[in-house]
Amino acid sequence: MADSSFDIVSKVDHQEAENALNQARKEVEQRYDFKGTDASIAWSGEQILIKANSEERAKAVLDVFQSKLIKRGISLKSLDTGEPFASGKEFRIVSSLKDGISSENAKKISKIIRDEGPKGVKSQIQGDELRVQSKSRDDLQAVIALLKGSDLEVDLQFVNYR
């Protein structure tokens, strides 16, 4: 019998992220506590730019955006947020969405599978994703459970299970 396999990926649904950003923008425009603070959130190329007249207001806008991402099913592990910084009279926060698994995270995941996973399970790095193979489907299920339980700083999805 041929080996069973699945792929480990880290992808963000950009349409859902766009919708979350639009919802956050509308809420910031309408909420009373943001009136007169020049608070805004918008795309700036591939990054998300948050502006406000104080550091606290900028963090509050970020909090609104994070809550919208969670409601849309996007993990906060996929959001890479910088520190607030002053730019003239306003404070800015630059964030970006992480897509794909970095090579160092792929190596960490591969090491976890090798060290703690069932014997006979092979993993190989293919660009920004990992392929995991085994003769036993039960071993693959055990690997998925192991990775869901481990504390990694990347949001993982398991696809192409066959």
Side-chain angles (χ1 to χ4, degrees):
M1 187 174 120
D3 283 2
S4 298
S5 69
F6 68 89
D7 294 334
I8 304 172
V9 298
S10 179
K11 298 216 183 305
V12 175
D13 185 349
H14 286 283
Q15 186 60 50
E16 289 294 333
E18 177 81 29
N19 292 343
L21 186 119
N22 286 334
Q23 283 181 330
R25 182 180 47 77
K26 285 179 184 174
E27 184 172 323
V28 166
E29 287 171 357
Q30 293 178 351
R31 261 179 45 181
Y32 182 75
D33 57 335
F34 286 117
K35 294 276 188 252
T37 61
D38 298 327
S40 68
I41 179 170
W43 287 104
S44 173
E46 284 293 307
Q47 296 180 320
I48 298 151
L49 182 63
I50 298 170
K51 298 182 201 172
N53 65 1
S54 73
E55 187 174 340
E56 290 76 29
R57 290 290 101 203
K59 286 182 178 176
V61 173
L62 176 64
D63 193 45
V64 168
F65 180 55
Q66 288 175 337
S67 70
K68 299 300 179 193
L69 284 176
I70 291 169
K71 282 184 182 172
R72 293 238 165 226
I74 298 174
S75 171
L76 292 183
K77 291 179 180 178
S78 301
L79 185 66
D80 189 18
T81 305
E83 289 297 313
F85 63 93
S87 174
K89 291 182 178 178
E90 63 185 11
F91 282 82
R92 295 179 176 203
I93 299 175
V94 177
S95 299
S96 60
L97 294 170
K98 293 187 275 191
D99 232 357
I101 301 172
S102 68
S103 61
E104 61 199 41
N105 280 329
K107 288 176 185 169
K108 279 184 198 171
I109 294 167
S110 193
K111 183 172 175 21
I112 288 172
I113 293 170
R114 218 177 26 254
D115 294 348
E116 302 172 32
K119 298 289 178 238
V121 176
K122 299 184 293 282
S123 66
Q124 64 187 95
I125 300 170
Q126 299 178 330
D128 62 350
E129 54 186 57
L130 259 85
R131 166 138 315 149
V132 180
Q133 294 178 313
S134 174
K135 291 200 182 309
S136 164
R137 287 182 166 229
D138 292 341
D139 287 350
L140 293 180
Q141 293 287 342
V143 168
I144 290 175
L146 171 72
L147 292 175
K148 282 185 178 177
S150 60
D151 185 33
L152 297 162
E153 64 263 5
V154 65
D155 181 38
L156 300 177
Q157 291 95 32
F158 307 97
V159 296
N160 296 335
Y161 185 82
R162 48 176 105 86

